[in-house]
Amino acid sequence: MMGPAHSLSGAAAWLGVGAATAAAGYPMPWPVLVVGALICAGAALAPDLDHKSATISRAFGPLSRALCGAVDALSHAVYKATKMRGDAHRSGGHRTLTHTWVWAVLVGAGMSLLAVQGGRWAVLGILFVHMVLAIEGLLWRAARVSSDVLVWLLGAAAAWILAGVLDEPGNGAGWLFTDPGQEYLWLGLPIVLGALVHDIGDALTVSGCPVLWPIPIGRKRWYPVGPPKGMRFRAGSWVEIKVLMPVFMLLGGIGGLGALGYLG
């Protein structure tokens, strides 16, 4: 799928989680719901770090383009080192390492550890990166015609304001993990969810997605998981734009209302 659809699906997924926790009797504080949805929307773009033309490659100028090139090379190297006889020959790393559950879990765990060990500035950095990505994905039309600096300033302002709100007592810095020193440990959860939602979205397209790597399936370790070929669509097609994106918006709205207790 394309960047906007990925971001919408990420936000909708976290709002759905919020609705589920509320139904189970453990509602999220509203700042966790909002911040988690934005982080998940941004994180849903991150697996395309292996693609030099993806939305994320433009998000931070030369820095993100260089990072995408490095991740593409790393992903290709891992693919060549671990492929089995049934896996096809590839000339690049797109839709390999960063499109697996292993990558999602490792990145999410790493961000949680960074948030806990790095203190406030680490939290602000994580929020800033994901706020910029959320702007690029959710407000993609405006972001493309705006200055990169303006997008970065908006992301920085959002990160600063949201971190201040979360730090208020009862607003969610210690949500889910309540022991002293575990504040913001939960930040990795929307990052993992965003990456997995991205993979599921790509699995619906023609090429599928090797989300189960390194589990071997038949003679392949990079098996492209997906529905039957007749049910798949091309990225950027009318199915994605006219059907899936409105569905994601609807589901996100329903999830948000459920999470805030308006459907109970």
Side-chain angles (χ1 to χ4, degrees):
M1 290 197 298
M2 306 298 286
H6 280 309
S7 285
L8 278 173
S9 66
W14 185 259
L15 293 170
V17 170
T21 60
Y26 299 97
M28 293 179 184
W30 71 263
V32 173
L33 183 70
V34 172
V35 173
L38 291 172
I39 291 176
C40 203
L45 297 180
D48 277 342
L49 274 170
D50 61 5
H51 190 352
K52 298 175 185 178
S53 299
T55 301
I56 192 171
S57 72
R58 302 186 297 268
F60 299 97
L63 178 62
S64 53
R65 285 193 290 272
L67 180 60
C68 285
V71 172
D72 178 37
L74 171 64
S75 298
H76 189 215
V78 172
Y79 180 87
K80 290 194 298 182
T82 62
K83 72 184 184 74
M84 295 174 64
R85 299 176 95 183
D87 290 310
H89 172 75
R90 296 182 64 101
S91 58
H94 182 46
R95 286 203 187 183
T96 55
L97 178 61
T98 62
H99 287 68
T100 66
W101 70 270
V102 175
W103 178 273
V105 171
L106 288 177
V107 171
M111 291 297 103
S112 286
L113 182 62
L114 178 62
V116 171
Q117 298 296 325
R120 180 172 178 79
W121 287 106
V123 170
L124 285 170
I126 294 169
L127 290 177
F128 168 69
V129 168
H130 288 90
M131 292 308 106
V132 170
L133 292 178
I135 293 167
E136 292 281 354
L138 297 175
L139 303 176
W140 64 280
R141 290 186 186 276
R144 286 193 177 181
V145 299
S146 299
S147 163
D148 286 343
V149 175
L150 180 60
V151 173
W152 300 338
L153 289 174
L154 182 56
W160 187 270
I161 292 169
L162 292 172
V165 172
L166 286 168
D167 282 339
E168 293 293 324
N171 273 4
W175 176 70
L176 196 61
F177 302 97
T178 56
D179 291 341
Q182 293 184 346
E183 293 82 5
Y184 291 109
L185 186 60
W186 62 269
L187 282 184
L189 297 178
I191 294 173
V192 173
L193 180 61
L196 292 177
V197 168
H198 178 112
D199 296 342
I200 293 170
D202 277 356
L204 299 176
T205 63
V206 172
S207 300
C209 184
V211 61
L212 296 179
W213 178 88
I215 301 170
I217 300 177
R219 299 173 60 223
K220 296 182 179 181
R221 182 165 279 123
W222 296 92
Y223 187 87
V225 175
K229 291 189 181 296
M231 298 175 62
R232 302 186 190 187
F233 58 89
R234 293 191 178 278
S237 69
W238 68 270
V239 174
E240 178 179 336
I241 297 169
K242 301 294 186 181
V243 179
L244 291 182
M245 288 179 65
V247 167
F248 294 150
M249 287 188 278
L250 177 61
L251 292 177
I254 293 172
L257 291 173
L260 295 172
Y262 290 111
L263 300 180

